[in-house]
């Protein structure tokens, strides 16, 4: 029986050399549906977050130079207008510090940190879902492996002594294709998640740096 099973694995692909991608998806069985849904969610979140995060931080340096030049004149109203025009997480954080620039530096820092935490939470929205999908896809693929093996052994038991390789191929394809699909989706999702988290961390570091610069810049004016 084991020898017949091994022969089935070795010969089934050869009998389907002309099989296209759609045929492989169909032979993967119903478990390919949740894997496909997860792949759509991963692609959507990854692209949407990448586009948003990519726009964030592109103009940080010229923006801060403009804010510092404006604050040199003591015109906080124009500085706040520039922050509103910029509309980035850094701009919202800087605007918070400017609004309470007459307060104690520690209070300014705390207020800016609270604002920055809120802005970072907006940037990270969807990333937990992305991580969940990336971890779930391989598990569904492994579930397909178990289901496929169970199907193959069930077909073997029902066939008795007249085991047909074509009969076993259904379970084998389900096992292999769902595993491959789940791993591919999971790897893509994990890479996208790690990349986006790294970009967010970089933005957080820059926000902390510029916030400290603003506090030091406002300190002599108290």
């Amino acid at each position: 029986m084991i020898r017949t099973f091994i022969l089935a694995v070795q010969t089934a692909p050869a009998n389907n050399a002309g099989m296209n991608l759609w045929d492989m998806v169909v032979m993967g069985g119903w478990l390919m549906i949740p894997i496909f849904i997860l792949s759509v969610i991963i692609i959507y979140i990854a692209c949407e977050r990448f586009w948003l995060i990519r726009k964030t931080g592109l103009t940080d340096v010229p923006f801060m130079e403009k804010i510092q030049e404006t604050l040199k004149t003591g015109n906080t109203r124009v500085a706040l207008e520039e922050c509103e025009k910029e509309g980035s997480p850094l701009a919202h954080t800087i605007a918070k510090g400017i609004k309470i620039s007459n307060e104690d530096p520690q209070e300014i820092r705390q207020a800016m940190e609270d604002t920055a935490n809120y802005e970072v939470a907006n940037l990270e929205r969807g990333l937990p879902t992305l991580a969940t999908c990336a971890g779930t896809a391989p598990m569904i693929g492994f579930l397909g492996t178990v289901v496929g093996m169970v199907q193959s052994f069930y077909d073997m038991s029902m066939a008795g002594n007249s085991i047909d390789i074509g009969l076993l191929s259904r379970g084998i394809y389900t096992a292999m294709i769902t595993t491959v699909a789940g791993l591919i989706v999971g790897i893509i999702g994990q890479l996208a998640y790690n990349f986006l988290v790294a970009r967010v961390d970089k933005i957080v570091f820059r926000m902390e740096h510029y916030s400290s610069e603003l506090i030091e810049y406002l300190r002599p004016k108290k």
Side-chain angles (χ1 to χ4, degrees), residues 98-117:
I98 295 175
K99 289 178 181 178
I100 59 173
S101 57
N102 293 325
E103 301 294 332
D104 183 77
Q106 189 60 34
E107 294 181 5
I108 298 176
R109 183 181 299 277
Q110 185 61 51
M112 294 178 71
E113 286 181 357
D114 293 340
T115 303
N117 290 335

Side-chain angles (χ1 to χ4, degrees), residues 172-189:
I172 296 172
Y173 276 124
T174 298
M176 298 298 102
I177 293 175
T178 54
T179 301
V180 171
L183 288 174
I184 291 175
V185 173
I187 290 171
I188 294 174

Side-chain angles (χ1 to χ4, degrees), residues 51-64:
W51 178 252
L52 176 65
I53 294 173
R54 181 179 178 275
K55 294 190 299 181
T56 303
L58 291 178
T59 59
D60 284 353
V61 175
F63 167 72
M64 286 303 301

Side-chain angles (χ1 to χ4, degrees), residues 28-197:
W30 63 271
L31 284 172
M32 294 295 291
I33 297 176
I35 293 177
F36 173 75
I37 294 174
L38 290 176
S39 68
V40 172
I41 296 174
I42 287 174
I43 293 174
Y44 172 77
I45 295 177
C47 293
E48 188 268 340
R49 289 291 97 183
F50 173 77
W51 178 252
L52 176 65
I53 294 173
R54 181 179 178 275
K55 294 190 299 181
T56 303
L58 291 178
T59 59
D60 284 353
V61 175
F63 167 72
M64 286 303 301
E65 291 177 351
K66 187 182 298 184
I67 291 297
Q68 290 177 359
E69 289 296 326
T70 304
L71 290 177
K72 284 180 181 179
T73 64
N75 196 337
T76 58
R77 182 181 61 83
V78 175
L80 290 173
E81 289 177 354
E82 291 292 339
C83 291
E84 184 177 356
K85 186 188 302 182
E86 182 72 14
S88 65
L90 175 62
H92 295 156
T93 304
I94 296 300
K96 184 64 176 180
I98 295 175
K99 289 178 181 178
I100 59 173
S101 57
N102 293 325
E103 301 294 332
D104 183 77
Q106 189 60 34
E107 294 181 5
I108 298 176
R109 183 181 299 277
Q110 185 61 51
M112 294 178 71
E113 286 181 357
D114 293 340
T115 303
N117 290 335
Y118 175 78
E119 295 297 331
V120 171
N122 286 335
L123 290 177
E124 292 178 338
R125 188 173 60 235
L127 294 187
T129 303
L130 178 61
T132 301
C133 293
T136 303
M139 299 304 295
I140 296 178
F142 294 147
L143 176 61
T145 301
V146 176
V147 171
M149 292 298 99
V150 171
Q151 183 66 55
S152 294
F153 282 107
Y154 175 78
D155 292 341
M156 290 170 63
S157 65
M158 295 299 294
N161 294 328
S162 58
I163 297 177
D164 180 54
I165 294 178
L167 182 65
L168 299 178
S169 64
R170 178 178 59 170
I172 296 172
Y173 276 124
T174 298
M176 298 298 102
I177 293 175
T178 54
T179 301
V180 171
L183 288 174
I184 291 175
V185 173
I187 290 171
I188 294 174
Q190 191 63 48
L191 290 175
Y193 174 78
N194 291 339
F195 174 78
L196 293 174
V197 168

